[in-house]
Amino acid sequence: MVTKTALNIDTEKVRRVAEVLGTKGTTATIDAALTEIIAREGRARLLERMRSMTDEEADAILHSWD
């Protein structure tokens, strides 16, 4: 779902984020930044799960493609 909205945004931050993400335009930059935050949270959850694995579980995953 997409919602049109008016926001007060620091344009310098948007410019800097656009450079980092390689995006053009405020809307594309904000969308990409939000997507990256969601992905970052997913990676953090995956790392936490990996840290809690037993050696046997990790070994089973590593060798599941053999």
Side-chain angles (χ1 to χ4, degrees):
M1 178 173 65
V2 176
T3 301
K4 188 170 183 168
T5 186
L7 300 170
N8 296 318
I9 297 176
D10 183 329
T11 55
E12 179 59 19
K13 286 180 185 176
V14 172
R15 185 194 65 74
R16 290 178 62 196
V17 171
E19 284 181 10
V20 170
L21 297 176
T23 55
K24 295 194 184 310
T26 301
T27 299
T29 300
I30 291 170
D31 186 61
L34 293 172
T35 300
E36 178 56 32
I37 294 300
I38 293 166
R40 183 173 75 174
E41 191 271 336
R43 289 189 299 268
R45 281 188 292 125
L46 176 60
L47 284 173
E48 188 56 38
R49 182 167 182 208
M50 291 173 70
R51 286 186 185 112
S52 68
M53 284 182 178
T54 64
D55 289 341
E56 292 80 20
E57 290 170 327
D59 191 54
I61 290 171
L62 290 171
H63 293 97
S64 65
W65 289 278
D66 291 346

